[in-house]
């Protein structure tokens, strides 16, 4: 028996091209290249800059909220209405306009065509339109800060009836702008989302079978399908609520006596809105989390110089989590007044999700096991993600279990849980991913020292912020409270905890500015990166130019012979074999190639 | 982990047969409670029936409702050791009835009646908090649960009127009240116009329900008993002159007959945009956009009150001289709101704005 010196899955199987390459649109002017651009990479950067910009607004809002909670009644401009408006806008911006847009519009656009070996998205014009509609939605949302009454203060969940009745801030203009902006966001997203799905299904290069795709592509692909199925529920509820507000329909409005006045509504159900909202809202968690799962898998594999452990299992876990995410939505509604018998079903489905999720965590850890780990900045962020994600996952088991949730829901514990699992964990991945792919986007490395400082402050700082918050939740401190005042059950020391959380949040927030500085400084002064600084196997690192030109690859599209994880293959000359490197057929025992 | 959780949940979902029923009624930003009375059955209700004279929305034609005990207060008492099923009803928006120390909570949804149950096992006072964001005043929506032995609970319950009693209550007699008012008029003025020198606020135009409530507070020592409440302490003995509820009803009926007059010192209307903004965002939601007062929100009329009175009261609320007595039903809300006036200037600007209202 002779040793076979080729990597996992490597065969020469690469079917002949079925269709000729379509002609790309070639822009002539600066505006065509960089403004009204149809190049997925430029659109990706437009998406990312817009998302990060609006995310900074949400970051500042979170500082203001924390200032009020940490040092109540110290700042005259934070009144109870303003506080609720900050809470609402912070949540909505972070979840939808930052994370969803950045993962799918930003990373999806940049990485899908490059990683599957396509010249561009399948529908470049639609892709461009998608970005501009997104930008319009962002502007509409920001406009609500300047209308009479200000933005909505009904929480990012916008529950009716309060969202559209006087008594909640921004119940007129604010909520209308929010709903219309969401509708536009969804229209824009659908254009982009269809693009990602069709590109992955139809535009893969020769030899790139589905089971050879990097997990990043699998994850973004699945997340996009989730989004295409989930967002319509939000879309219709936004329209129905707008009609309730403007035309006096009663979709979500029962008979109501508000502030002593009988309103003309009757017969609607507020709980209906919650079902629609969370039918969107729970998959939304995975729309943000799945791309993070995929990206982190790739970063870990590259920097552990090992193949990802259990690739097929990882793919099916992603698909399984995606499917399950549609049957757990009412775990957000255990105490919503819906029939409490639903609790049995939804607690069961919710805890079942722990199985594929835990599987992924085990596989990440096993990927690291005995790896030749390069502890660079993207790797630090990826490992940090594993910690925070496990943390948030474990508290999720508390909350998913309906009997425990009874005491904990609507407290600070929930805030701590979802920030660990849905804010900190994915944001660590976003940052890791930016450190990882920035060299490809610009041709320069981000500064290493600044990156390490940024990582440690962010990682340790998030524990300083959220660990005490879990404790406040156990005490029973409710969320969305402007001030606690005097109670029988919250000790005075809770206030000093709140102050320390605020200080930690401000410090972590300020260090994000260091990251922004690094992004700008390195663009001009960073160390040149070369084509493949991380010695990675996937196609985006094998392009002829860095950053890749319009059309991504040179005159010939790459042909793929192997999966994305040929690291440290025994007998190979280097410790990584790019996906487009043909197997060495001269070696003894290489078997008969399939054609 | 799942299985024991579901067993516990099954216990929570299935209410024991012996559990007594109590209804919680919520609105922005108050709690009130209804007990079934002697027949043990709660009468039917409908939001169509809700108005200032029937805040619980009782169906006047339902015989079961006549003996229902109506507790129009943030505070509810329950007997120890008895399981109780709380029926949760909301008049306006989503609220959430949560007692952190009992580890229970459930949303209150207009148009439906969710439930939950628990057994109080320890006597004492417990906070009832709203834990579903319900608008600007969300954080002020607080009640109190007092768990006590059966006897004390019976006494407490007997002190509250039934629906039949509240609907049969007759209006006070203004003629009789006129004589009683002589003592009041010495300070508050013959037509209730108020007197700055004696720090006696304007009474004309004020909602009768509010004057009545405050007179009872003064009489019971809920208001005007704090040692630092300089002007309140002069009022307390005056309220004690009124012998009983009928006397209070009568004098209030007379006060109600005063013409609504403008404030004593005519001021030009201020157009302080910042203070106006602040009023609209924090005060106007309960007290009305023009300061007219809204009975349904338990918010008194502010228009026509003089700046010196508003200033004193806001400071009393802020420094917790007023509103902290355990029997003061709604004072704690003003404690929390007045605390947002961070300095002297903020208070002064707001007072100037309100005192210009007509």
């Amino acid at each position: 028996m002779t040793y076979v010196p080729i990597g996992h899955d490597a065969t020469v199987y690469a079917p002949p091209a079925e269709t000729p390459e379509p002609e790309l649109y070639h822009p002539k002017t600066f505006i065509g290249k960089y403004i009204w651009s149809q190049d997925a990479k430029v659109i990706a950067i437009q998406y990312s800059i817009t998302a990060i910009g609006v995310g900074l607004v949400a970051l500042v809002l979170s500082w203001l909220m924390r200032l009020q909670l940490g040092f109540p009644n110290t700042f005259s401009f934070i009144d109870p209405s303003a506080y609720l408006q900050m809470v609402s806008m912070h949540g909505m911006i972070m979840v939808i306009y930052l994370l969803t847009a950045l993962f799918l519009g930003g990373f999806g656009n940049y990485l899908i065509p490059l990683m599957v070996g396509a010249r561009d998205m399948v529908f470049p014009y639609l892709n461009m339109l998608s970005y501009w509609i997104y930008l319009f939605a962002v502007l509409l949302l920001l406009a609500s800060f300047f209308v009479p009454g200000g933005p909505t203060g009904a929480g990012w969940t916008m529950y009716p009836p309060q969202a559209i009745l006087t008594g909640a801030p921004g119940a007129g203009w604010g909520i209308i702008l929010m709903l219309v902006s969401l509708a536009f966001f969804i229209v824009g997203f659908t254009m982009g989302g269809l693009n990602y799905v069709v590109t992955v299904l139809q535009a893969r290069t020769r030899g790139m079978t589905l089971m050879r795709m990097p997990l990043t592509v699998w994850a973004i692909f699945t997340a996009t399908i989730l989004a295409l199925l989930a967002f319509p529920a939000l879309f219709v509820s936004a329209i129905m609520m707008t009609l309730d507000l403007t035309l006096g329909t009663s979709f979500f409005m029962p008979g109501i006596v508000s502030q002593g006045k009988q309103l003309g509504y009757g017969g609607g159900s507020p709980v209906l809105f919650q079902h629609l909202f969370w039918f969107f809202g729970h998959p939304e968690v995975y729309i943000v989390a799945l791309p993070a799962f995929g990206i982190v898998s790739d970063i870990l594999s590259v920097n552990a110089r090992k193949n990802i452990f259990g690739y097929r299992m990882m793919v099916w876990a992603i698909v399984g989590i995606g499917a399950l995410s549609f049957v757990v939505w009412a775990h957000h509604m255990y105490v919503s007044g819906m029939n409490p018998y639903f609790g049995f079903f939804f607690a069961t489905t919710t805890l079942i999700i722990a199985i594929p999720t835990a599987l992924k965590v085990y596989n990440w850890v096993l990927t690291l096991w005995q790896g030749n780990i390069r502890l660079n900045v993207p790797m630090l962020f990826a490992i940090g993600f594993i910690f925070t994600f496990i943390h948030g996952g474990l508290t999720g088991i508390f909350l998913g279990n309906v009997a425990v949730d009874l005491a904990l829901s609507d407290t600070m514990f929930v805030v701590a849980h979802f920030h660990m699992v849905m804010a900190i964990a994915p944001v660590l991945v976003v940052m890791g991913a930016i450190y990882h792919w920035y060299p490809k986007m610009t041709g320069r490395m981000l500064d290493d020292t600044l990156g390490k400082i940024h990582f440690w402050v962010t990682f340790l700082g998030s524990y300083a912020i959220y660990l005490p918050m879990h404790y406040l939740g156990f005490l029973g401190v409710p969320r969305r409270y402007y001030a606690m005042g005097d109670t029988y059950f919250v000790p005075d020391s809770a206030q000093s905890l709140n102050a320390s959380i605020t200080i930690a949040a401000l410090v972590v927030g300020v260090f994000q500015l260091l990251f922004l500085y690094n992004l700008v400084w390195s663009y001009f002064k960073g160390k040149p990166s070369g084509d493949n600084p991380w010695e990675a196997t996937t196609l985006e690192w094998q392009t002829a130019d860095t950053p890749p030109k319009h059309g991504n690859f040179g005159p010939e599209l790459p042909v793929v012979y192997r999966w994305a994880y040929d690291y440290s293959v025994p007998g190979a000359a280097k410790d990584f074999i790019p996906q487009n490197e043909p197997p060495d057929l001269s070696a003894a025992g290489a078997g008969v190639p399939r054609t | 982990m799942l299985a024991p959780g579901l067993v516990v949940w099954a216990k929570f979902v299935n209410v024991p047969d012996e559990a007594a029923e109590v209804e919680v009624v919520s609105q922005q930003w108050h709690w009130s409670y209804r007990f079934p009375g002697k027949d043990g059955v709660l009468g039917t209700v409908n939001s169509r029936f809700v108005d200032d004279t029937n805040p619980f929305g009782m169906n006047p034609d339902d015989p079961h409702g006549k003996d229902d005990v109506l507790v129009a207060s943030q505070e509810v008492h329950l007997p120890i050791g008895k399981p109780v099923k709380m029926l949760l009803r909301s008049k306006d928006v989503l609220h959430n009835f949560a007692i952190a120390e009992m580890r229970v909570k459930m949303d209150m949804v207009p148009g439906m009646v969710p439930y939950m149950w628990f057994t109080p096992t320890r006597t004492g006072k417990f906070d009832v908090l709203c834990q579903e964001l319900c608008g600007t005043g969300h954080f002020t929506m607080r009640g109190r649960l007092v768990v006590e032995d059966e006897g004390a609970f019976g006494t407490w319950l007997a002190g509250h009127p039934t629906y039949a009693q509240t609907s049969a209550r007759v209006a006070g007699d203004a003629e009789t009240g006129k004589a009683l008012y002589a003592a009041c008029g010495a300070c508050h003025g013959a037509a209730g116009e108020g007197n700055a020198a004696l720090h006696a606020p304007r009474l004309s135009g004020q909602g009768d329900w509010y004057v009545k409530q405050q007179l009872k507070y003064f009489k019971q020592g809920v208001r005007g008993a704090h040692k630092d409440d300089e002007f309140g302490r002069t009022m307390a003995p005056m309220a004690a002159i009124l012998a009983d509820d009928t006397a209070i009803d009568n004098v209030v009926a007379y006060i109600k007959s005063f013409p609504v007059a403008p404030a004593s010192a005519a001021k030009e209307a201020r157009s302080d945009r910042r203070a106006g903004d602040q009023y609209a965002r924090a005060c106007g939601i309960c007290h009305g956009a023009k300061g007219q007062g809204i009975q349904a929100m338990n918010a008194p009329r502010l228009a026509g009150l003089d700046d010196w009175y508003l200033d004193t009261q806001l400071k009393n609320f802020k420094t917790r001289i007023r509103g902290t007595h355990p029997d003061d039903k709604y004072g704690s809300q003003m404690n929390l709101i007045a605390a947002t006036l961070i300095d002297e200037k903020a208070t002064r600007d707001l007072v100037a704005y309100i005192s210009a209202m007509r």
Side-chain angles (χ1 to χ4, degrees), chain A residues 448-484:
Chain A
D448 209 46
T449 317
L450 289 181
K452 283 184 176 157
I453 296 172
H454 174 220
F455 167 74
W456 284 109
V457 174
T458 310
F459 179 65
L460 297 178
S462 27
Y463 283 97
I465 297 170
Y466 294 108
L467 278 182
M469 220 182 265
H470 288 88
Y471 176 69
L472 291 177
F474 278 130
L475 287 177
V477 176
R479 59 192 285 214
R480 293 170 165 176
Y481 258 42
Y482 171 77
M484 257 333 273

Side-chain angles (χ1 to χ4, degrees), chain A residues 15-37:
Chain A
E18 287 169 16
T19 49
E21 273 195 53
E23 187 65 22
L24 280 177
Y25 166 81
H26 290 293
K28 307 264 182 321
T29 60
F30 177 84
I31 290 179
K33 253 185 191 156
Y34 297 107
I35 310 290
W36 305 107
S37 175

Side-chain angles (χ1 to χ4, degrees), chain A residues 73 79 81-82 85 162 167 254 257 260 262 274 335 337 340-341 401 406-407 409-410 481 483-484 486-488, chain B residues 1 9 13-14 47-48 50 91 94 105 107 110 112 127 130-131 133 135-136 138 142 144 281 296 320 339 342:
Chain A
N73 303 326
D79 61 34
S81 295
Q85 291 169 324
Q162 48 264 55
V257 188
Q262 296 275 356
Q274 298 179 28
V335 295
Y341 284 89
N401 212 328
L406 184 63
S409 73
D410 294 316
Y481 258 42
M484 257 333 273
D486 284 335
T487 56
Y488 294 114
Chain B
M1 259 181 300
W9 185 247
V13 170
N14 296 301
S47 67
R48 282 198 313 274
V50 174
K91 287 192 231 171
L94 302 176
K105 65 169 71 73
D107 273 11
M112 46 191 277
D127 288 295
C130 177
Q131 295 206 359
L133 176 54
T136 303
H138 174 48
R142 301 178 184 205
R144 191 184 309 121
R281 293 167 71 93
R320 310 177 63 79
I342 56 162

Side-chain angles (χ1 to χ4, degrees), chain A residues 190-209:
Chain A
T190 306
M191 294 177 177
L194 287 173
N195 242 324
Y196 314 150
V197 171
V198 176
T199 303
V200 169
L201 290 179
Q202 296 293 324
R204 280 168 287 128
T205 186
R206 293 166 62 206
M208 180 62 89
T209 61

Side-chain angles (χ1 to χ4, degrees), chain A residues 165-180:
Chain A
L165 294 183
T166 53
W173 278 99
I175 187 74
I176 287 188
L177 278 176
M178 171 65 86
L179 294 170
V180 173

Side-chain angles (χ1 to χ4, degrees), chain A residues 137-148:
Chain A
V138 168
L139 293 178
L140 273 183
L141 181 81
L142 295 179
S144 72
F145 283 102
F146 304 100
V147 294

